[in-house]
Amino acid sequence: MTVTGQSTVASESGNALYLLFRKSQSSTIMNVNLLSEQRVIEDGYRTETSLEQWLVEDSFLEALPSDPSKISVLKRNEHLNYLAKLLLEGLNKRYAVQDASQPWLTFWILQSFSLLGVLLDPGNKQKVINTILAMQHPDGGFGGGPKQAPHILPTYAAICTLAIVGRPGKGGGWDEINRKGLYNFFLSLKQPDGSFHVMRDGEVDIRGTYCLLAVSTMLNILTPTLVEGVPDFVRSCQTYEGGFSCASYARFMEGQLLSFPRPSLGEAHGGYTSCALASWVFLKPFWEGTSTPSIDVKRTIRWLTKQQGGGANMGGFRGRTNKLVDGCYSWWVGGCFALLPALGIQIDSVPRHIDNADDAAHDNDSEWDDVEEELFNSQALQDYIIYLAQAPSGGLRDKPQKSPDAYHTLYNLAGLSIAQHRVRPVPSERDWIPQPGENLILLKEKRILPILSCKDDALDLDPSETADARDARRKRVFTEVYWWKEQESLSQVKGGSINRVNATHPLFNLTVSHIQPMLSYFYGQP
């Protein structure tokens, strides 16, 4: 059932539109006439949102080439010129409102370069390293700019940027990270319900939880003390729809946190859902020997699949139910499907949910039939990005008639990467080198390994752990996130190699070639 504002399309009509939609996406040629037949059906009761939907569909149809045989391609050179201008010539005045997001702007630009297959020269890499390090707070963490208060979100962007341009050694950025101060900063933000303030006296937000877990994983400072209670918080953010909201309402009685009721705050949202699912994967190594908590993955999948727009929405994703599609959700929603294998869901041949007309019994397992079909239409998503999200002069955007920006450029390209490539968890391909140990020291002396000064033993982060328990925990964390590899036989690049972008790691949104060296360094692995 498709709903726009208060206008409803009957399920039979919706199925017919879906079949037309799949037909229109089965070719590299865009048929404007066919897509125009797939407009949201007018029911005679116009609302502000239904009119807005029609205007957006009009803009989509107008943006498509009038000649059905004309095939659009990725405007690689235009995007590179757009990004280079942002990085080297500075940002225009409309970016002034993002003064507290300087690490994010840098990350968006550099990761876009990475997806497009471009690396910075050593001189510009060092400039970026120095710029990012200038944003590190003396007590730990990174601010949104020099001398700004530390904040979890720009800390994540700063560490991701250093993963792209940094290196071990003096001046390389990695050894200059104040890991002990960062860990203490994170602990200072922890709340009794397992959530985190994003900064001192700031709000609670599941995006902060994701950023904290991602950074702690990358830098080998993720401890049992830090994650205590976090799974319960993440789980409590799941809404009745199946997606996740930003936070939940914690209730206390006589100083004790009540496990129930703990209602989510707000509606399901693509960005929050992405952060929640990735957080769930980061937390998995801490469940060994304990009762495994759970989230309703089936309900999540159901919600995710319903966010892709069919018909004249051209396969774009929306971030919330009944909202307009937006190119950035190509990553925030589309990227969620790439996380499902780490949650035990085999998405390359999966059960597909069969809707009832009233959707009343969606928890009934009998409704799931084995059908070999993608959970989302990756071909249609590539069309949305290539035909509608590219600005003519470079950069990518929300949708036609919107201006490009660094944020939408990255998350459209990341969504394109997810649609083209299948990066999946794989079995460990090397033995774990215990930390600390005589073998590691011997390997260092023989110059087989770099000299590592970044083991968390020296930081004394969690004294409650024994040395053996600490090493076992680090091994589980490292193995969970390091061993992901592109399954090249499953790649689906629509339009040929000219449209290809690099594969990105679904947990970090960094290329594997950037995240693996940082993980190897901080975990002391070759």
Side-chain angles (χ1 to χ4, degrees):
M1 185 163 63
T2 304
V3 180
T4 303
Q6 298 181 31
S7 96
T8 302
V9 179
S11 59
E12 292 80 4
S13 299
N15 290 335
L17 286 176
Y18 180 72
L19 292 175
L20 280 171
F21 168 61
R22 294 304 293 258
K23 180 180 178 182
S24 71
Q25 304 298 337
S26 63
S27 169
T28 56
I29 297 175
M30 286 280 89
N31 190 324
V32 178
N33 293 330
L34 183 59
L35 285 171
S36 65
E37 297 173 8
Q38 304 172 53
R39 303 291 298 270
V40 171
I41 297 175
E42 180 64 71
D43 63 357
Y45 184 70
R46 294 190 174 185
T47 67
E48 181 179 347
T49 53
S50 65
L51 289 173
E52 189 174 18
Q53 176 67 36
W54 271 82
L55 290 174
V56 167
E57 291 179 4
D58 282 341
S59 72
F60 287 3
L61 295 172
E62 290 171 2
L64 294 175
S66 56
D67 181 358
S69 64
K70 184 178 181 180
I71 300 174
S72 289
V73 297
L74 182 65
K75 304 178 187 297
R76 191 180 304 270
N77 289 335
E78 289 87 342
H79 301 327
L80 290 174
N81 288 335
Y82 172 81
L83 293 165
K85 185 175 181 180
L86 291 178
L87 182 67
L88 302 176
E89 297 182 15
L91 305 173
N92 60 41
K93 61 182 181 181
R94 74 187 182 96
Y95 282 97
V97 296
Q98 294 184 295
D99 179 64
S101 299
Q102 294 177 49
W104 280 108
L105 292 164
T106 308
F107 169 62
W108 294 333
I109 294 169
L110 295 189
Q111 176 59 2
S112 295
F113 275 134
S114 298
L115 292 172
L116 292 170
V118 172
L119 300 176
L120 293 188
D121 62 275
N124 279 310
K125 279 187 177 181
Q126 192 60 52
K127 288 180 180 178
V128 172
I129 293 169
N130 295 342
T131 298
I132 292 296
L133 290 178
M135 302 178 197
Q136 184 169 211
H137 192 274
D139 296 333
F142 290 75
K147 298 185 178 181
Q148 294 186 21
H151 191 294
I152 291 179
L153 273 64
T155 294
Y156 163 83
I159 298 303
C160 286
T161 300
L162 291 177
I164 296 172
V165 299
R167 63 188 185 278
K170 185 177 180 180
W174 292 2
D175 290 330
E176 284 83 4
I177 299 171
N178 180 0
R179 293 166 64 239
K180 182 63 177 288
L182 178 58
Y183 180 80
N184 290 334
F185 169 61
F186 284 166
L187 273 183
S188 73
L189 302 175
K190 199 171 191 320
Q191 301 304 299
D193 66 342
S195 65
F196 295 88
H197 287 301
V198 294
M199 63 181 298
R200 292 188 177 99
D201 301 320
E203 71 275 17
V204 165
D205 191 318
I206 200 168
R207 292 174 298 182
T209 300
Y210 163 75
C211 290
L212 181 146
L213 294 175
V215 168
S216 299
T217 298
M218 286 189 275
L219 300 182
N220 188 14
I221 59 174
L222 192 63
T223 69
T225 297
L226 196 59
V227 304
E228 184 179 1
V230 177
D232 288 333
F233 168 72
V234 174
R235 182 170 53 181
S236 71
C237 295
Q238 187 166 27
T239 75
Y240 72 94
E241 291 184 273
F244 289 77
S245 64
C246 66
S248 62
Y249 181 67
R251 296 169 61 92
F252 294 85
M253 180 176 292
E254 297 180 354
Q256 296 296 316
L257 176 66
L258 299 179
S259 59
F260 183 85
R262 196 172 174 181
S264 58
L265 294 176
E267 61 186 314
H269 185 282
Y272 300 141
T273 301
S274 172
C275 290
L277 293 182
S279 295
W280 205 250
V281 178
F282 288 134
L283 293 167
K284 283 176 59 182
F286 293 85
W287 298 337
E288 187 168 298
T290 64
S291 59
T292 303
S294 62
I295 55 177
D296 192 336
V297 179
K298 284 186 178 180
R299 194 183 292 246
T300 302
I301 293 174
R302 171 188 168 84
W303 182 82
L304 289 170
T305 57
K306 287 182 175 293
Q307 301 317 305
Q308 187 170 29
N313 284 289
M314 286 282 293
F317 278 103
R318 61 181 65 86
R320 291 176 289 165
T321 302
N322 291 346
K323 298 297 183 180
L324 302 174
V325 296
D326 182 333
C328 72
Y329 294 111
S330 303
W331 166 257
W332 295 121
V333 178
C336 288
F337 294 98
L339 296 171
L340 296 177
L343 300 174
I345 305 296
Q346 300 303 314
I347 63 174
D348 300 312
S349 179
V350 300
R352 177 169 62 86
H353 185 268
I354 308 300
D355 282 328
N356 285 335
D358 59 1
D359 287 334
H362 58 265
D363 289 327
N364 188 342
D365 286 345
S366 66
E367 294 182 65
W368 292 72
D369 292 345
D370 287 328
V371 179
E372 289 194 13
E373 184 176 344
E374 283 189 308
L375 281 172
F376 76 102
N377 192 333
S378 62
Q379 300 290 299
L381 180 59
Q382 292 182 61
D383 281 337
Y384 181 91
I385 296 167
I386 296 296
Y387 282 91
L388 302 179
Q390 297 190 97
S393 58
L396 290 99
R397 58 197 179 183
D398 166 352
K399 55 178 70 70
Q401 300 182 344
K402 298 281 188 176
S403 299
D405 55 58
Y407 169 87
H408 282 92
T409 296
L410 171 58
Y411 293 116
N412 270 294
L413 290 175
L416 185 61
S417 175
I418 288 294
Q420 292 178 351
H421 305 287
R422 306 295 180 265
V423 180
R424 303 286 187 261
V426 296
S428 176
E429 297 178 357
R430 287 200 303 267
D431 291 334
W432 169 261
I433 297 178
Q435 300 283 316
E438 293 182 1
N439 291 336
L440 178 63
I441 297 173
L442 182 62
L443 288 171
K444 289 178 184 177
E445 291 175 351
K446 292 183 177 181
R447 304 287 183 182
I448 297 176
L449 284 178
I451 301 298
L452 303 176
S453 59
C454 299
K455 300 186 297 298
D456 66 357
D457 301 84
L459 300 178
D460 193 26
L461 297 181
D462 199 337
S464 65
E465 283 187 302
T466 65
D468 288 344
R470 183 182 300 119
D471 189 62
R473 179 256 304 165
R474 283 188 304 224
K475 177 182 178 180
R476 294 194 302 271
V477 173
F478 178 84
T479 302
E480 185 69 46
V481 301
Y482 184 90
W483 294 111
W484 290 62
K485 181 179 290 187
E486 180 183 0
Q487 308 298 303
E488 295 184 5
S489 62
L490 299 176
S491 295
Q492 300 181 32
V493 180
K494 190 169 185 180
S497 59
I498 193 171
N499 288 342
R500 185 188 183 278
V501 296
N502 284 334
T504 192
H505 195 303
L507 282 169
F508 301 98
N509 196 12
L510 290 165
T511 60
V512 172
S513 61
H514 284 140
I515 186 58
Q516 286 190 340
M518 175 173 264
L519 290 169
S520 294
Y521 181 68
F522 285 108
Y523 286 82
Q525 301 301 300

